[in-house]
Amino acid sequence: MSGGTIRNSLCLFFNIICFPARYFYSKKFKLAVFHPNYENTTSSILPFAEREALFLKEKFNATYFSDNRATKTNFFKNTGSYSIYHLAMHAQVNNDNEDESKLIFGLENLYFSDLYAQKLPLDLLVLSACETGYGKNIEGEGIMSLSRAFTYSGVAATIHSLWQIPDKQGGEIMHFFL
């Protein structure tokens, strides 16, 4: 097999890994980046997630929803205007009750259960937050993760984490990935 054939085969096999690079460099996308402000909350501030978000804003001319603009309302209100969302934020997983799993938009929470009633026409959602692909495995249903809830609501592809990721290393992974 030639190198191109192997690469194309790997791209088919690992589509989620190859999808972003091809898509990003085709210039046929609109990207929105969300990074909430965690001051005056019980969540820790994420300075490297902020750097990650600003990097994406500059590199891809993304719309940057930060601080008081990084809200659950703006998240839902703008899905029709963008093909990719990148969420650099906190998440919490509750394995005992998946409906309590959530993304934390500063003072607001976006719960797992909120997503099932939504129609989100995104091509790609990057969940740069802890354990967004982790959840309880329910027979006949699958993994009850935040990523699954987004897929159920219409998102074509998600990139998520199965682990808790320190802020600095999460940002470094995203820089390397893109």
Side-chain angles (χ1 to χ4, degrees):
M1 268 199 235
S2 72
T5 304
I6 291 171
R7 184 173 188 277
N8 289 340
S9 297
L10 290 173
C11 283
L12 282 171
F13 188 71
F14 296 107
N15 191 35
I16 197 66
I17 294 170
C18 296
F19 170 76
R22 282 187 316 213
Y23 195 77
F24 284 151
Y25 294 110
S26 73
K27 305 290 184 193
K28 296 178 184 175
F29 68 93
K30 286 186 73 178
L31 171 65
V33 180
F34 287 79
H35 177 259
N37 181 344
Y38 293 109
E39 290 181 18
N40 303 317
T41 72
T42 58
S43 299
S44 62
I45 294 172
L46 300 171
F48 292 96
E50 181 178 25
R51 287 184 192 174
E52 171 188 328
L54 290 170
F55 167 77
L56 291 168
K57 176 186 175 209
E58 295 302 316
K59 183 166 183 163
F60 299 109
N61 194 30
T63 302
Y64 182 42
F65 292 92
S66 64
D67 300 330
N68 64 345
R69 291 185 61 226
T71 64
K72 188 168 97 169
T73 300
N74 278 336
F75 175 87
F76 286 121
K77 185 170 101 176
N78 291 287
T79 55
S81 301
Y82 299 93
S83 52
I84 300 173
Y85 268 9
H86 183 100
L87 309 181
M89 60 179 50
H90 282 294
Q92 288 181 345
V93 174
N94 184 328
N95 270 332
D96 296 325
N97 181 1
E98 65 271 355
D99 288 338
E100 293 297 315
S101 293
K102 61 189 174 188
L103 291 169
I104 303 169
F105 282 84
L107 296 172
E108 299 178 296
N109 295 319
L110 174 58
Y111 289 94
F112 177 97
S113 56
D114 294 337
L115 297 167
Y116 282 96
Q118 300 298 321
K119 178 65 177 151
L120 304 174
L122 298 168
D123 293 334
L124 177 64
L125 176 67
V126 180
L127 295 165
S128 184
C130 294
E131 300 181 317
T132 51
Y134 185 76
K136 188 175 183 179
N137 187 8
I138 296 181
E139 189 174 335
E141 288 291 328
I143 305 294
M144 303 305 284
S145 68
L146 286 162
S147 179
R148 178 194 192 275
F150 279 109
T151 300
Y152 189 87
S153 69
V155 175
T158 61
I159 297 173
H160 59 260
S161 169
L162 297 174
W163 305 278
Q164 291 186 5
I165 300 175
D167 182 37
K168 182 179 180 187
Q169 288 76 9
E172 289 172 353
I173 289 169
M174 284 298 146
H175 279 260
F176 176 74
F177 183 72
L178 299 170

